[in-house]
Amino acid sequence: MGSHSATGAGHFGTDPLWCEEYGYGLGTLTGVLVLRYRSAAVLEFGQSRQDFLHQLYWSPDGMLSTRYGADTQFVGAREAFWAHRAVSHEVRAADRQTVYRICLRQVPEMLGGLRAGAVSIDDEAARLVQAIARPGYDEQAALVARERIMAGLGASTRDFVGHHATGTGFAMTVARALSHDPGDPRPP
């Protein structure tokens, strides 16, 4: 399947500079849809819930600010944010970032019990996400890459969960507000 530009596709807030869509094996359980966004300003995937597809967000360019329920996390380039279908969540990226949104019908084996949260993404999976989000990529090769991407995802480990923001105190309230709009001049 080829690629074509898409506009907005479930996007809220500031519009991206562009959004490209790459679909392989769509309509099958083993298909994958990759949306690649480029931002000029803060890119917001406002609170949303996708009832048909699981979603994985990843950016090679910097941190993502994510929220699931009361839990706010900052997800770095060696991580991604996973949202199981029918789970409300928010994702935001800083300006001048590329963000990949990978939509799947199957849950990667290592993420079986995770509703939403940060996950590890290995180097090969990260490289393959970027590779299949380009025009002209062979569909069969992309479906093989999808399997390797799914195998390269891991449940949260102690190696990177230490910088995730959790809690309910005043400092967390301020941190959550800043993570969602770091340029807001209003006092907390």
Side-chain angles (χ1 to χ4, degrees):
M1 232 181 215
S3 67
H4 63 279
S5 292
T7 57
H11 170 78
F12 303 96
T14 306
D15 288 334
L17 287 174
W18 46 259
C19 174
E20 298 173 344
E21 177 182 315
Y22 302 90
Y24 306 98
L26 298 180
T28 68
L29 284 177
T30 58
V32 61
L33 174 65
V34 180
L35 300 169
R36 184 173 72 171
Y37 301 87
R38 180 67 181 173
S39 67
V42 173
L43 183 58
E44 301 176 36
F45 301 91
Q47 185 167 348
S48 66
R49 186 182 83 210
Q50 170 53 260
D51 292 342
F52 303 106
L53 298 168
H54 310 290
Q55 296 177 77
L56 182 74
Y57 299 85
W58 175 68
S59 176
D61 302 332
M63 301 288 275
L64 296 175
S65 169
T66 67
R67 184 165 61 174
Y68 161 62
D71 187 27
T72 298
Q73 297 180 325
F74 300 98
V75 177
R78 299 205 62 206
E79 306 164 292
F81 181 77
W82 170 258
H84 195 278
R85 81 170 128 236
V87 173
S88 295
H89 62 282
E90 291 180 51
V91 176
R92 293 191 172 139
D95 60 338
R96 294 177 200 69
Q97 267 186 262
T98 300
V99 177
Y100 295 85
R101 185 186 212 179
I102 299 102
C103 302
L104 302 162
R105 292 183 64 197
Q106 289 182 319
V107 176
E109 185 177 333
M110 296 298 292
L111 307 183
L114 182 62
R115 290 183 53 77
V119 298
S120 63
I121 182 168
D122 70 20
D123 291 340
E124 180 184 24
R127 181 185 61 75
L128 289 170
V129 166
Q130 293 174 316
I132 68 173
R134 290 200 174 100
Y137 203 87
D138 178 72
E139 183 159 359
Q140 289 307 311
L143 294 173
V144 169
R146 175 202 166 275
E147 289 300 317
R148 290 184 178 151
I149 291 166
M150 290 180 67
L153 302 175
S156 184
T157 66
R158 287 188 305 192
D159 293 339
F160 65 88
V161 295
H163 70 273
H164 292 174
T166 59
T168 58
F170 180 72
M172 281 307 304
T173 301
V174 172
R176 282 188 190 101
L178 287 173
S179 72
H180 283 80
D181 190 358
D184 187 348
R186 293 177 292 159

